[in-house]
């Protein structure tokens, strides 16, 4: 009953649209990415660059305005940004530093299980920083729900990563400590980033489209650091098998393209919907709620990968699934919806406006009535004066 109530509440609302974009777009991205990674495992830099370029170009076309020469303005103008640019630069720096630190941790003999446990702790760390920086208060039930979700993610992900678990024989204690510090820094930066976004939206309003454009555009120069890897990926993509297309019913024309670029195009489009949903949701929800939904999305992607690509489904996956979904349902049950509070505020504002309008109308009507009475009095007095003069 609770799930049906939640679904009916979110239906045709901003949350519903965002969730459809996130789960539909992000899960489709994983399916397309699996086909690429199965042949070229280390092609993340090229895929990510293409995704960022697509979002930046699409956002630029929306923000550019073409003016007529008669208007006296420049022929091409760009929509003004609401948030100062340095806010977005700071956000991009935090995002890239967190991603790089997570990758560097493997160079310091950090095992896959430990890496998974640290990354799964982002929910608890986000809750901690929301309490410290934003002075938010959480109930014992909410903390318990987040711990349940984190535990479910750890169990299910560790089960999937069981084959990759290899401890290095050459690891030293100092290297291990450095790796732990790197993972901790990445976790802190990622958690602060979520709180930072929430602060921006609370200060400047729902500027998620601007955030989407500038966060991707400012990030593009950082890919110069991976130029060699990207060139290698392009050459490898051109070695994928060819797929032929024919337009003979309409035109006497046919062409061939490497299957890698088809999968990449599918990945780019689905990722566009995914990041759109994420930025849209971040503007109407708290950092903790967004983090929880994204964790749930990653878990759904993991399950889809297991079912579609026929990976083994083990007992750990079932246990993790049950714990995670139980924690998610309990969290949303114990957490007041931000949208419902926004609705109440909106309705109260409407009521206040209507009351003000009624008061203004009443005042205007009383003024008009007073004026009419004064004019009638004046006209009656003038009539009396005229009659007296005639007498």
């Amino acid at each position: 009953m609770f799930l049906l109530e939640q679904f009916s509440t979110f239906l045709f609302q901003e949350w519903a649209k965002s969730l459809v974009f996130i789960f539909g777009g992000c899960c489709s991205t994983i399916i397309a990415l699996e086909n690429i990674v199965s042949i070229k495992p280390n092609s993340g830099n090229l895929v990510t660059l293409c995704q960022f370029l697509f979002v930046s170009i699409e956002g630029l076309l929306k923000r550019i305005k073409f003016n007529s020469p008669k208007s006296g303005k420049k022929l091409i103008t760009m929509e003004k940004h609401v948030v100062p640019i340095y806010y977005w630069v700071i956000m991009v720096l935090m995002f890239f530093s967190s991603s790089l630190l997570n990758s560097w941790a493997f160079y310091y003999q950090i095992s896959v299980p430990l890496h998974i446990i640290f990354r799964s702790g982002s929910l608890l760390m986000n809750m901690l920083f929301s309490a410290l920086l934003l002075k938010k208060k959480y109930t014992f039930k909410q903390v318990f729900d987040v711990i349940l979700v984190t535990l479910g993610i750890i169990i299910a992900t560790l089960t999937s990563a069981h084959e990759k678990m290899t401890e290095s024989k050459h690891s030293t204690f100092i290297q291990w400590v450095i790796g732990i510090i790197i993972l901790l820094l990445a976790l802190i930066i990622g958690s602060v980033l979520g709180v930072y976004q929430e602060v921006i939206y609370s200060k400047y309003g729902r500027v998620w489209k601007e955030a989407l454009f500038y966060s991707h555009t400012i990030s593009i120069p950082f890919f110069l650091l991976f130029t060699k890897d990207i060139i290698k990926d392009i050459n490898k993509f051109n070695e994928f098998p060819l797929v032929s297309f024919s337009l003979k019913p309409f035109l006497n024309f046919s062409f061939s393209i490497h299957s890698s670029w088809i999968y990449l195009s599918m990945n780019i489009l689905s990722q566009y919907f995914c990041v759109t949903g994420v930025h849209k949701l971040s503007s109407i929800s708290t950092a903790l709620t967004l983090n929880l939904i994204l964790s749930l999305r990653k878990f759904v992607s993991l399950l889809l990968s297991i079912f579609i690509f026929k990976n083994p489904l083990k007992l750990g996956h079932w246990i993790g699934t049950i714990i995670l979904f139980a924690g998610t349902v309990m969290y949303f049950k114990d957490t007041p919806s931000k949208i419902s509070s926004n609705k109440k505020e909106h309705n109260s504002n409407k009521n206040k406006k209507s009351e003000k309008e009624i008061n203004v109308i009443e005042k205007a009507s009383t003024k008009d009535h007073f004026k009419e009475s004064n004019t009638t009095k004046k006209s009656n007095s003038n009539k009396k004066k005229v009659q007296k003069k005639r007498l």
Side-chain angles (χ1 to χ4, degrees), residues 304-349:
L304 281 174
S305 177
I306 289 168
F307 284 111
I308 293 171
F309 294 95
K310 296 177 181 179
N311 294 318
L313 186 64
K314 299 176 182 177
L315 180 63
H317 293 124
W318 288 111
I319 295 169
T321 303
I322 293 165
I323 294 172
L324 184 137
F325 278 101
T328 304
V329 171
M330 288 167 65
Y331 173 81
F332 284 109
K333 193 176 180 181
D334 297 330
T335 305
S337 175
K338 190 177 177 183
I339 289 181
S340 60
S341 62
N342 287 339
K343 274 187 173 181
K344 285 177 183 177
E345 288 177 6
H346 184 67
N347 291 331
S348 63
N349 289 332

Side-chain angles (χ1 to χ4, degrees), residues 118 120-132 146 150 183-184 186-192 195 288 291:
F118 262 87
S120 300
S122 60
L123 281 169
L124 290 169
M125 190 64 75
N126 198 284
M127 181 176 269
L128 176 65
F129 278 100
S130 294
L132 290 173
V146 170
T150 305
L183 281 178
L184 191 62
L187 190 62
I188 291 168
I189 293 168
S191 301
V192 171
V195 176
L288 179 63
N291 202 330

Side-chain angles (χ1 to χ4, degrees), residues 61-118:
L61 293 173
K62 281 185 177 179
R63 299 184 75 83
I64 283 179
K65 294 180 181 178
F66 296 94
N67 302 310
S68 63
K70 294 180 181 179
S71 63
K73 298 179 182 178
K74 292 181 180 178
L75 292 175
I76 301 171
T77 56
M78 194 169 173
E79 187 180 332
K80 289 184 179 179
H81 51 86
V82 178
V83 182
I85 296 295
Y86 68 87
Y87 276 78
W88 304 127
V89 173
I90 293 168
M91 191 172 79
V92 168
L93 287 172
M94 282 196 286
F95 170 75
F96 261 89
S97 57
S98 176
S99 300
L100 287 172
L101 285 169
N102 276 314
S103 300
W104 285 344
F106 287 113
Y107 291 99
Y108 291 90
Q109 311 303 330
I110 292 295
S111 63
V112 172
L114 191 61
H115 197 274
I116 289 166
I117 290 165
F118 262 87

Side-chain angles (χ1 to χ4, degrees), residues 218-349:
I218 295 168
S219 300
I220 289 171
F222 288 93
F223 285 95
L224 291 170
L225 298 169
F226 315 108
T227 305
K228 289 182 180 178
D229 293 332
I230 290 168
I231 292 168
K232 287 179 183 177
D233 292 342
I234 292 169
N235 293 329
K236 191 69 180 179
F237 268 45
N238 290 327
E239 294 175 7
F240 275 58
L242 288 168
V243 178
S244 299
F245 294 94
S246 180
L247 303 173
K248 279 186 178 178
F250 306 100
L251 294 169
N252 190 15
F253 180 74
S254 61
F255 64 95
S256 299
I257 188 170
H258 295 280
S259 59
S260 56
W261 299 110
I262 298 170
Y263 291 133
L264 182 61
S265 302
M266 291 166 58
N267 180 274
I268 290 167
L269 286 172
S270 54
Q271 179 65 16
Y272 169 73
F273 288 109
C274 174
V275 294
T276 300
V278 170
H279 279 78
K280 201 170 187 178
L281 186 61
S282 65
S283 67
I284 59 174
S285 70
T286 62
L288 179 63
T289 302
L290 176 66
N291 202 330
L292 189 141
I293 289 170
L294 292 180
S295 299
L296 183 64
R297 193 277 307 165
K298 289 174 187 175
F299 187 77
V300 172
S301 297
L302 173 65
L303 292 179
L304 281 174
S305 177
I306 289 168
F307 284 111
I308 293 171
F309 294 95
K310 296 177 181 179
N311 294 318
L313 186 64
K314 299 176 182 177
L315 180 63
H317 293 124
W318 288 111
I319 295 169
T321 303
I322 293 165
I323 294 172
L324 184 137
F325 278 101
T328 304
V329 171
M330 288 167 65
Y331 173 81
F332 284 109
K333 193 176 180 181
D334 297 330
T335 305
S337 175
K338 190 177 177 183
I339 289 181
S340 60
S341 62
N342 287 339
K343 274 187 173 181
K344 285 177 183 177
E345 288 177 6
H346 184 67
N347 291 331
S348 63
N349 289 332

